């Protein structure tokens, strides 16, 4: 009998068999929190086998702390008032993957929250949105693109330097450089090999404009699989880099001197019954079907209300300024990279829309849920988009209703007040996520920046 392959695992019985076949004493189990941070542990095989059938539990503090393990003081689902009880999780058997960095046999499985906590689970949220689409007769497909900077630094050295004067992998602005990718070809080959081994295949990898910055385009898949691939890509790109004495960052913007880092989302819908593209219409302008037009309209209308799900950190808003390849209003255009939504005409196979607003620091599951959910809302409501932008969107005046929130605090208030968000994602998620973003803003206000010291210390 041939050796079982991780990506062929579909059922709990398959998962049990592959662990037994490989003689593993432990496997790794991980989940993603509200910020897209991967958390987990090694699990002994007998415990894992039990969890496959009955689930397992994890302290729900992972839904009650921020990216620095500081406890939220303004969420109701969990906290000191609840005593931080366990929350149930379930193993996702078909998420099984090899872990090349831990030998030939070690396996990784994803888990997602169950029970009441499922309402706050990022992966669960995406699944609920996709079920909504299936109820409308559509299957959603997605592909994520990420820009990230590589540094010749370690977790220790960046802290010793106070995150200042860091040394990028390479100098200068050299987008699409064959020189850089050839000189450092071993690193590129390693990352490409990792992406194949862990099933987040990179279909395009190149330098972007900036010192040490790369862009990776992950292959298209069903939207839930695309979320898994994007989330795993971010985590294990960091693992790969640190194991080689490097560091990768997915901050939206690490330096005011260079463009920010995007997390663009390519999306399409296919009809479940016919298997045909729901977006492609050969006889329509730009091959945009009525369904795609309504989808884009929903994304445009809800963009200001859902911005916190695409731009979830204080740092996200330093990227959303004119002239730096990031949109500043809820605009759309055909093959226009200055707009927030870029319609890409093509064929039954390739007709799609690119949600260019997303930044690299966004939780992939939440960004996909928001981008798809807004589009489905537009189809349900038969919304019509505003007039498309032709030319440079940064130089044009736009209607007030297209303006995006300028701060995380404002974005959180827009999300909290959004009836559409509550209808799409549920009150529990909206209240919890908005509260966590408000916490993030309040944490920021407690600190004094270098800019403030330089500007005010002596002269005021």
């Amino acid at each position: 009998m041939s050796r079982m392959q991780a990506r062929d695992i579909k059922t709990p019985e398959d998962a049990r068999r592959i662990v037994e076949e490989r003689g593993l004493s432990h496997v790794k189990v991980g989940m993603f929190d509200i910020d897209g941070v991967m958390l987990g542990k090694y699990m002994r095989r007998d415990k894992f086998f039990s969890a496959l059938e009955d689930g397992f539990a994890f302290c729900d503090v992972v839904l009650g702390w921020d990216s620095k393990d500081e406890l939220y003081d303004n969420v109701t689902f969990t906290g000191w008032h609840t005593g931080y009880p366990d929350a149930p999780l379930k193993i996702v058997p078909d998420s099984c993957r090899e872990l090349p960095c831990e030998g030939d046999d070690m396996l990784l499985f994803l888990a997602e929250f169950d029970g009441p906590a499922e309402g706050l689970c990022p992966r669960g949220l995406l699944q609920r949105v996709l079920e909504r689409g299936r109820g409308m007769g559509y299957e959603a497909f997605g592909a994520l693109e990420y820009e990230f900077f590589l540094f010749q630094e370690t977790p220790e050295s960046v802290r010793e330097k106070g995150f200042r004067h860091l040394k990028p992998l390479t100098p200068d602005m050299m987008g699409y450089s064959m020189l850089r990718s050839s000189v450092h070809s071993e690193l590129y080959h390693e990352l490409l090999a990792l992406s194949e081994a862990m099933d987040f295949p990179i279909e395009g990898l190149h330098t972007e404009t900036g010192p040490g910055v790369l862009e990776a385009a992950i292959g298209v898949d069903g939207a839930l699989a695309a979320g898994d691939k994007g989330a795993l890509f971010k985590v294990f790109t960091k693992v790969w880099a640190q194991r080689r004495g490097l560091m990768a960052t997915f901050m939206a913007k690490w330096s005011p001197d260079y463009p920010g880092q995007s997390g663009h989302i390519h999306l399409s819908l296919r009809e479940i019954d016919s298997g045909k593209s729901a977006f492609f219409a050969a006889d329509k302008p730009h091959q945009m079907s009525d369904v795609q037009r309504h989808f884009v309209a929903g994304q445009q209308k809800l963009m200001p209300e859902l911005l916190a799900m695409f731009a979830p950190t204080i740092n996200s808003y330093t990227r959303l300024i004119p002239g730096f390849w990031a949109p500043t209003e809820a605009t759309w255009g055909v093959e226009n990279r200055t707009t927030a939504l870029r319609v890409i005409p093509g064929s039954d196979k390739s007709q799609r829309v690119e949600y260019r607003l997303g930044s690299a620091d966004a939780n992939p599951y939440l960004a996909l849920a928001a981008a798809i959910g807004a589009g489905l809302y537009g189809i349900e409501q038969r919304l019509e988009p505003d007039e498309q932008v032709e030319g440079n969107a940064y130089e044009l005046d736009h209607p007030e209703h297209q303006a995006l929130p300028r701060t995380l605090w404002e974005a959180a208030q827009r999300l909290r007040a959004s009836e559409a968000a509550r209808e799409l994602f549920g009150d529990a998620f909206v209240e919890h996520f908005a509260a966590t973003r408000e916490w993030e803003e309040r944490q920021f206000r407690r600190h004094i920046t270098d800019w403030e010291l330089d500007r005010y210390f002596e002269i005021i």
Side-chain angles (χ1 to χ4, degrees), residues 265-287:
I265 307 168
H266 291 254
L267 293 171
S268 64
L269 297 181
R270 301 196 78 81
E271 297 173 354
I272 293 174
D273 289 342
S274 70
K276 295 180 179 178
S277 169
F279 282 2
F280 177 71
D283 59 341
K284 298 277 190 178
H286 316 298
Q287 292 83 59

Side-chain angles (χ1 to χ4, degrees), residues 153-182:
E153 302 286 353
T154 68
E156 293 74 26
S157 72
V158 294
R159 286 164 173 81
E160 290 166 359
K161 293 180 176 182
F163 298 91
R164 298 289 180 185
H165 310 297
L166 305 180
K167 186 177 182 181
L169 175 66
T170 56
D172 215 343
M173 313 286 272
M174 300 187 72
Y176 296 97
S177 172
M178 290 294 280
L179 174 63
R180 292 285 186 252
S181 62
S182 299

Side-chain angles (χ1 to χ4, degrees), residues 4-19 28-30 48-49 51-56 89-98 107-112 123 127 224 228:
M4 296 185 73
Q5 300 301 308
R7 297 307 289 139
D8 292 335
I9 303 306
K10 303 299 179 187
T11 67
E13 182 55 35
D14 290 341
R16 177 188 289 268
R17 282 181 53 211
I18 193 171
V19 171
K28 256 187 169 172
V29 176
F48 176 71
F49 290 163
L52 283 170
E53 301 300 328
D54 302 319
F56 67 105
L89 291 98
K90 55 189 177 184
I91 304 287
V92 182
D94 65 3
S95 68
C96 181
R97 281 169 165 82
E98 314 276 358
L107 297 172
L108 169 70
F109 289 84
L110 297 183
E112 57 187 17
R123 194 174 192 272
Q127 290 200 81
L224 182 61
D228 290 340

Side-chain angles (χ1 to χ4, degrees), residues 250-428:
F250 289 83
M251 279 185 69
K253 197 165 187 177
W254 75 272
S255 168
D257 299 326
Y258 310 115
Q261 299 182 94
S262 65
H264 297 159
I265 307 168
H266 291 254
L267 293 171
S268 64
L269 297 181
R270 301 196 78 81
E271 297 173 354
I272 293 174
D273 289 342
S274 70
K276 295 180 179 178
S277 169
F279 282 2
F280 177 71
D283 59 341
K284 298 277 190 178
H286 316 298
Q287 292 83 59
M288 284 181 71
S289 69
D290 293 342
V291 169
Q292 186 178 25
R293 194 176 71 253
H294 297 320
F295 190 90
V296 169
Q299 291 182 314
Q300 181 180 41
K301 178 178 176 61
L302 296 187
M303 191 176 292
E305 299 173 30
L306 305 185
L307 180 62
M309 297 173 72
F310 299 99
T313 71
I314 295 293
N315 183 250
S316 302
Y317 296 80
T318 64
R319 170 178 167 263
L320 302 178
I321 56 177
F324 275 91
W325 294 96
T328 52
E329 279 85 22
T331 54
W332 78 280
V334 177
E335 283 292 12
N336 190 332
R337 285 184 167 86
T338 69
T339 56
L341 298 165
R342 170 187 167 223
V343 170
I344 303 173
S347 62
D348 178 87
K349 183 179 179 180
S350 62
Q351 183 87 15
R352 63 194 187 276
V353 59
E354 180 187 19
Y355 205 107
R356 293 183 56 81
L357 183 73
S359 58
D361 60 356
N363 183 326
Y365 296 111
L366 299 188
L368 281 163
I372 296 168
L376 296 177
Y377 179 86
I379 296 172
E380 290 174 327
Q381 302 294 320
R382 300 186 66 80
L383 299 179
E384 293 294 335
D386 295 338
E387 185 176 352
Q388 70 156 306
V389 171
E390 296 182 2
N392 187 350
Y394 301 128
E395 294 180 344
L396 303 176
D397 293 327
H398 302 284
E400 185 176 343
H401 67 264
Q402 291 182 2
L404 299 175
R406 300 306 185 198
T407 67
L408 182 58
W409 184 269
E410 183 187 349
Q413 306 317 302
R414 293 293 299 272
L415 179 66
R416 190 187 289 281
S418 173
E419 293 182 7
R422 292 177 180 274
E423 200 264 322
L424 286 168
F425 311 128
D427 290 335

Side-chain angles (χ1 to χ4, degrees), residues 34 119-120 125 128 309 366 425-434:
I34 206 77
L120 309 183
L125 185 76
R128 292 198 301 277
M309 297 173 72
L366 299 188
F425 311 128
D427 290 335
F429 172 79
V430 171
E431 290 291 341
H432 185 82
F433 188 69

